[in-house]
Amino acid sequence: MRLTRKDWLVPAALITLSLVPAAGGTSRLIQLTDATNLTPDNARFFASPLPVVLHIVTAVIYSFVGALLFSEGLRRRFRTAHRAAGKVLVPLGLVVALTGLWMAHFYPWPAGDGLIVYVERLLAGAAMVVFILLGVAAVRRRDFTSHGDWMTRAYAVGLAAGTQVFTHLPWFILVDMHPGTLPRGIMMGAGWVINAVVAEWVIRRGAEVPRHAGRVPAHAVA
């Protein structure tokens, strides 16, 4: 089966969306290698670096590898690799979500964050864990369609950091670089909402594909 431009379009878009938070995370990791980079803004990471290091590393791998599984052509041509990738992405996604929950609850809130963002982070992290576990339960039942749907939802939650870059841009351009707690909460929440809406649209669109067309679910792990 020959891969077409269409087979690469969605993965390329998702990887592009992941690049800015990936670059920011990489910069954070570099900062943590040198104690002279300690500032009031990053002191919480120096005080407890393991959660943020695990979060960044797993999130980058999860977002990049996960993007490839949204290509129908790649899924059909490399089914064994697809299943192997899925088995890696499940624990990676859980680490992303659980470390995100840990950081949201135990790290001091950075400037601009507040109760709204705190609650949003807890809800998003918990939702990602639940979606992944439901996806695993579905694949164990051999319900590959439901499996793909739940994993699509989990990926949408995990990719919100990329979307949130764009939801913050209008405020940064038109107002300033330091939004208050309410604008910050709205812009952060907008990123998760946009991704959730897109994920449901993708799932609904996939459900409209006739069964004889051979729909192959994303992220199959068995």
Side-chain angles (χ1 to χ4, degrees):
M1 177 180 176
R2 183 179 179 181
L3 297 177
T4 66
R5 180 181 178 184
K6 182 180 178 181
D7 293 322
W8 294 106
L9 186 60
V10 172
L14 294 174
I15 290 173
T16 300
L17 188 61
S18 305
L19 286 177
V20 174
T26 302
S27 175
R28 180 74 67 193
L29 292 179
I30 294 172
Q31 289 177 4
L32 289 173
T33 63
D34 186 353
T36 62
N37 293 320
L38 178 66
T39 68
D41 289 335
N42 63 24
R44 63 192 187 280
F45 301 129
F46 278 94
S48 183
L50 183 59
V52 69
V53 170
L54 286 175
H55 185 77
I56 292 170
V57 172
T58 55
V60 170
I61 299 172
Y62 181 81
S63 59
F64 284 11
V65 177
L68 299 177
L69 273 61
F70 282 91
S71 167
E72 184 175 350
L74 287 173
R75 291 199 305 269
R76 290 180 181 277
R77 186 171 181 178
F78 304 104
R79 295 196 180 193
T80 301
H82 172 85
R83 289 193 293 269
K87 291 177 180 178
V88 172
L89 288 174
V90 166
L92 285 177
L94 290 174
V95 172
V96 172
L98 292 173
T99 53
L101 286 168
W102 195 100
M103 292 188 296
H105 187 67
F106 291 105
Y107 279 165
W109 293 346
D113 279 13
L115 182 61
I116 296 174
V117 174
Y118 169 70
V119 172
E120 288 173 340
R121 292 188 191 279
L122 293 185
L123 291 174
M128 188 171 176
V129 171
V130 170
F131 293 160
I132 291 173
L133 294 180
L134 288 172
V136 171
V139 81
R140 291 186 181 279
R141 299 192 308 269
R142 314 299 292 179
D143 184 354
F144 297 121
T145 298
S146 294
H147 167 74
D149 293 347
W150 286 119
M151 291 305 189
T152 296
R153 294 181 178 107
Y155 186 84
V157 175
L159 197 63
T163 307
Q164 285 158 350
V165 172
F166 294 96
T167 59
H168 280 72
L169 274 180
W171 186 276
F172 290 162
I173 294 172
L174 300 175
V175 185
D176 58 44
M177 295 294 292
H178 305 287
T181 56
L182 179 58
R184 168 82 166 156
I186 292 173
M187 291 181 288
M188 291 289 287
W192 279 302
V193 170
I194 290 170
N195 279 22
V197 170
V198 172
E200 294 305 319
W201 176 79
V202 169
I203 290 167
R204 183 176 295 274
R205 185 168 176 265
E208 294 173 355
V209 177
R211 291 187 181 275
H212 62 74
R215 181 187 175 204
V216 179
H219 304 85
V221 297

